[in-house]
Amino acid sequence: MTLRLFIPADAGALAVGAEDVASALGAAAARQKVAVDVVRTGSRGLYWLEPMVEVQTSAGRVAYGPVAASDAEGLLRAILADGAHALRQGLTEEIPWLKRQTRLTFARCGVVDPRSLEDYRAHDGCKGLERALALGPAATVEKVVESGLRGRGGAGFPTGIKWRTVAQTPPQQKYIVCNADEGDSGTFADRMIMEGDPFVLIEGMAVAGIAVGATKGYVYIRSEYPHAAATMEAAIAAARRGGLLGNRVANSSFAFDMEVRVGAGAYVCGEETSLLDSLEGKRGLVRAKPPLPAHKGLFGRPTVINNVLSFASVPIIMDKGGAFYRDFGMGKSRGTMPIQLAGNIKYGGLFEAAFGITLGELVDDVGGGTRSGRPVRAVQVGGPLGAYFPRALFDTPFDYEAFAARDGLIGHGGIVVFDDTVDMAKQARFAMEFCAIESCGKCTPCRVGSTRGIEVIDHIIRGENRAANTALLEDLCHTLKFGSLCALGGFTPYPVMSALTYFPEDFGAPPRLLAAE
Ligand SMILES: Cc1cc2nc3c(=O)[nH]c(=O)nc-3n(C[C@H](O)[C@H](O)[C@H](O)COP(=O)(O)O)c2cc1C
Ligand code: SF4
């Protein structure tokens, strides 16, 4: 009998020892004379259980975690006996944290071998592409419009409308660009997809190419993701060998191929026009719009640029239909959002849920509060440009409009939790500092305003002329918000102003009384 084990090779699992666990289990199997077949998967996203080892049983996969290399000998013995072990989590699919999710985009992540096209096909892969080929370009675009999918990179622009704009430009060389720069704090969903289910991204980009008439795609991956880049490269090579990419995509008359490009480490290169400059080999500088990338993008050609999660959501939309996807969610936020729980949180990881789940449910219920065990004081949602929300705003549903109505954003779906030891004046200063460091320098409010912002916050922290300096900070934030060319300068006021508004006591002012506190 051969024992089938699944051990993640996801960077998050590797960081806590997954490689050592894999070697130790291999060595233990040799000593115990057991034949094992080890499949290296992505992560299921239950990061507090990593390295999580799964075992194939007749009832399904059973999970054990967090496993240390020193557990290997005893764990293998337990698995070969009745399976009972202190680290046993039960059937993976029955773990409540996983079971209560709606995994559409992440259905295969942590399940399949990310380098095997056969495994991808065996788990419903390529069905979306087949459907797109049967429907043809125009109907494919309309399916994506119908689904209500909005860009998962941050701005939430309707994906189908963007595709339609590119599709309607005259036939010429067009491009598909995937934004895998994933610079937001507390986010890792793009990385998980690229390391755990890269074919879903390849399939989504191929569908986009067919839909808009583009034959070439690029995935722009941040340099801090070497494992993701390596897995994508391997998957692209396998997709070419398997006929998913090339001159005749899946035996059709459509051609589409793609390449990986690695960034050089600038947050602003996640901004789409700056990313395009970087892809062209230039320094990443934000371009003024118009022209939109849909009209004049990469090398001046019509370009669809979408986030990893946007492309990765397309195959299931094509397979199950626009209406199926649209049925999940609330208001104008349709489908599911892969939410990333990070920072000082007990159960951190990837939680995919339909839009509408509240911030409180996510932080307290799903996340289990802080890892430190102290009270949650603030959460930052949507990356470094997102607002800090106090407990009083925990009834906010995960929805683009609901967050915007409270001067916040959901961005790429990252939630970073802070306990009551956080100093919010320091966090506000950090937001300005981040903007100053990462500014591309093209426009004055951001380039100069961020440095002035640090100085003003320092004056406030030191108690110098507090009232006047607070008014000055508000005025500066107003200038940044309305005078900046892109959202780096434009949104830096969100973390700054929310810290000042909800946590004035950290700036030396009287505390604010909020209803739910
Ligand atoms: C400073 C800045 C950084 C950004 N970083 C990212 C990023 O890392 N990944 C991403 O997908 N979008 C990022 N965006 C948003 C992109 O400009 C763009 O909206 C997105 O790639 C469009 O894809 P989508 O419609 O699928 O979200 C950033 C925007 C700004 C202003
Ligand atoms: S807001 Fe900042 S990052 Fe954006 S264009 Fe202006 S200087 Fe560059």
Side-chain angles (χ1 to χ4, degrees), residues 24 26-34 72-73:
R31 273 192 300 274
Q32 295 180 32
K33 300 197 174 16
V34 190
E73 201 77 50

Side-chain angles (χ1 to χ4, degrees), residues 349-400:
L350 192 287
F351 193 88
E352 183 172 352
F355 284 97
I357 186 168
T358 68
L359 192 52
E361 279 176 82
L362 285 164
V363 175
D364 295 328
D365 247 19
V366 176
T370 64
R371 192 176 172 81
S372 61
R374 301 183 66 95
V376 175
R377 183 156 187 244
V379 295
Q380 189 177 28
V381 185
L385 311 175
Y388 286 99
F389 273 19
R391 288 204 79 88
L393 300 184
F394 273 20
D395 61 345
T396 314
F398 225 76
D399 162 67
Y400 293 101

Side-chain angles (χ1 to χ4, degrees), residues 74-136:
L75 179 62
L76 195 63
R77 214 165 279 127
I79 292 168
L80 291 167
D82 61 355
H85 191 281
L87 300 178
R88 191 178 199 273
Q89 304 293 328
L91 286 170
T92 315
E93 301 288 345
E94 296 298 318
I95 297 174
W97 205 86
L98 194 57
K99 202 174 181 185
R100 69 187 284 196
Q101 301 188 35
T102 307
R103 288 215 164 181
L104 303 185
T105 309
F106 274 76
R108 271 176 302 260
C109 195
V111 177
V112 293
D113 175 349
R115 295 180 183 230
S116 163
L117 184 57
E118 293 67 41
D119 207 12
Y120 181 65
R121 286 191 203 275
H123 287 83
D124 289 338
C126 300
K127 285 189 173 172
L129 176 64
E130 283 159 20
R131 185 90 191 108
L133 289 171
L135 285 174

Side-chain angles (χ1 to χ4, degrees), residues 473-492:
L473 181 61
E474 286 172 7
D475 191 39
L476 186 61
C477 280
H478 187 269
T479 305
L480 271 164
K481 188 170 175 178
F482 296 103
S484 297
L485 183 59
C486 87
L488 179 47
F491 284 20
T492 292

Side-chain angles (χ1 to χ4, degrees), residues 233-515:
E233 294 274 19
I236 289 171
R240 273 192 206 120
R241 284 194 304 272
L244 201 59
L245 294 174
N247 286 336
R248 289 170 53 81
V249 171
N251 286 323
S252 70
S253 57
F254 293 94
F256 186 74
D257 207 342
M258 58 193 280
E259 283 177 44
V260 167
R261 287 282 185 274
V262 176
Y267 180 72
V268 79
C269 285
E271 193 282 331
E272 57 187 15
T273 60
S274 187
L275 186 154
L276 294 175
D277 263 13
S278 177
L279 258 184
E280 290 177 7
K282 303 171 189 154
R283 178 165 79 90
L285 207 60
V286 174
R287 300 177 184 171
K289 287 189 241 180
L292 295 169
H295 292 128
K296 250 174 148 275
L298 187 62
F299 303 119
R301 303 297 182 154
T303 303
V304 164
I305 175 162
N306 273 130
N307 174 254
V308 172
L309 303 179
S310 313
F311 284 123
S313 302
V314 167
I316 194 155
I317 291 170
M318 295 311 299
D319 179 23
K320 299 255 162 69
F324 164 84
Y325 191 79
R326 204 192 173 87
D327 263 0
F328 298 93
M330 69 173 278
K332 291 188 200 152
S333 306
R334 309 312 314 176
T336 57
M337 183 72 195
I339 297 160
Q340 300 124 87
L341 300 171
N344 188 345
I345 190 154
K346 197 165 175 192
Y347 303 121
L350 192 287
F351 193 88
E352 183 172 352
F355 284 97
I357 186 168
T358 68
L359 192 52
E361 279 176 82
L362 285 164
V363 175
D364 295 328
D365 247 19
V366 176
T370 64
R371 192 176 172 81
S372 61
R374 301 183 66 95
V376 175
R377 183 156 187 244
V379 295
Q380 189 177 28
V381 185
L385 311 175
Y388 286 99
F389 273 19
R391 288 204 79 88
L393 300 184
F394 273 20
D395 61 345
T396 314
F398 225 76
D399 162 67
Y400 293 101
E401 279 66 36
F403 266 76
R406 291 179 163 181
D407 285 333
L409 52 129
I410 65 171
H412 186 47
I415 299 182
V416 180
V417 179
F418 296 82
D419 73 11
D420 61 350
T421 59
V422 65
D423 179 336
M424 295 306 295
K426 275 195 187 154
Q427 293 304 119
R429 186 190 191 280
F430 174 70
M432 282 293 189
E433 199 186 354
F434 181 82
C435 183
I437 293 169
E438 297 294 340
S439 170
C440 85
K442 185 151 179 168
C443 64
T444 315
C446 168
R447 186 184 65 246
V448 179
S450 51
T451 299
R452 294 288 91 85
I454 300 169
E455 293 164 4
V456 177
I457 294 175
D458 279 342
H459 288 310
I460 298 172
I461 290 173
R462 287 200 296 266
E464 295 164 10
N465 220 348
R466 200 169 264 143
N469 275 313
T470 304
L472 189 58
L473 181 61
E474 286 172 7
D475 191 39
L476 186 61
C477 280
H478 187 269
T479 305
L480 271 164
K481 188 170 175 178
F482 296 103
S484 297
L485 183 59
C486 87
L488 179 47
F491 284 20
T492 292
Y494 281 77
V496 175
M497 288 310 297
S498 56
L500 193 62
T501 306
Y502 299 119
F503 308 94
E505 63 276 24
D506 288 14
F507 295 79
R512 180 185 151 115
L513 292 176
L514 289 163

